[in-house]
Amino acid sequence: MTSRVRLALIIGLAGVVLVTLIMAPMLMSTFPSFLGGGTVTDCADDSPKFANVSNTAQSDIPPEYLALYKKWGQKTGVQWTVLAAVGKRETDHGRSNLAGVKSGTNYAGAAGPMQFLISTWGGKAKLKISSKINGYASDGDDDGYGDVYNPADAILGAAKMLKRNGAPGDLRRALFVYNRAVWYVEQVLEIARRYASDGTLDLPPEADPACDPPLVEAAPSDVVRKILQYALAQRGKPYRWGGTGPQGFDCSGIIYMAYRAAGLSIPRTTFGQWPFGKKISRGDEQAGDLVFFNSGPGTSSNNPGHVGMVVSPGKMIEARCTLCGPIKVTTYRERPNIVGYTRPLQNPKILEQLRGLGLT
């Protein structure tokens, strides 16, 4: 065999290997273009896609901290990379020797590896976990106590705080609430990108606009499609108490306006919407139905104070509260204090309106 032939064979084999390496990930993540093409988004999966650990993260994050970031990120639905970036920016993953990291507090009153204000943690650095705690004190190691200096407890508490304030969908808002400085937000996001092997900050599918068309297309009727189209178009706008748009909405306001967009009139407030619709059993709810919650003082099982609109079984769009991030699609079945479900489209007044519109 001549050297020229051998060289041709080597080049040919190298080409086959290269094509195989290129095609393998493509076949795992996409469909060929002639089958409808494009990356497939699993909109039924309501957990974030967790980025692989970059070389930077592997070399910079202590293994025990990395395990905790990933554990509590996955359980709370917050990007682990963002949790880790907060830990890096605050105390270098607990390695800092500055005041307040391992004991006491710093000049601002913050403590522990995730730098919680003691007042925000719950009033004391270490508390026995109970339903009476007013703060983010958490028990991440199942010892019955929330210890602000314990990494397992502190990282879980930080995940809860980020989730409460907009993560994973509105990271800038969540991080700004954590530390009210724009430069801080930008630094944390940059660190988080470096910790992800692909350099991105993945969003959960319910925060991905690519998931809107399947939700609308799956609606049980044209009327519900119009309702969903309006409601989903408001995503990203802020919560505004008493708001009915267009700049912002409260929980019942977005529902009231979504029904108006379909030519239908329902009560304006949560208190009015609860008795208006036909009661639906858990598990029978469908897009366009409402899910109600007991939301604290002044509300009860007979007088719910919060409402969301079902967009698909297990998911709702809601305007939750001023500090809860923007209007977005969230999951509801694991949320506490669900009072019940209703179907406004079965109210006799709505049925009459539908007949007047020629839609029945």
Side-chain angles (χ1 to χ4, degrees), residues 114-129:
M114 303 303 279
Q115 291 290 277
F116 272 95
L117 295 175
I118 296 300
S119 58
T120 304
W121 185 250
K124 295 181 179 179
K126 186 174 182 178
L127 305 95
K128 188 172 181 62
I129 295 298

Side-chain angles (χ1 to χ4, degrees), residues 261-320:
L264 303 173
S265 179
I266 66 172
R268 161 65 185 87
T269 68
T270 304
F271 298 139
Q273 290 172 3
W274 168 241
F276 183 79
K278 178 183 177 181
K279 299 298 185 294
I280 302 296
S281 299
R282 175 185 173 89
D284 291 337
E285 68 274 12
Q286 62 185 25
D289 292 345
L290 308 185
V291 51
F292 292 85
F293 301 83
N294 179 355
S295 60
T299 68
S300 66
S301 59
N302 293 320
N303 197 36
H306 180 59
V307 60
M309 185 170 71
V310 176
V311 296
S312 68
K315 296 182 185 296
M316 67 178 176
I317 187 164
E318 64 170 339
R320 190 169 182 180

Side-chain angles (χ1 to χ4, degrees), residues 136-158:
Y136 291 99
S138 304
D139 182 11
D141 60 357
D142 296 322
D143 67 351
Y145 289 87
D147 184 348
V148 76
Y149 303 106
N150 182 328
D153 296 350
I155 291 170
L156 173 56

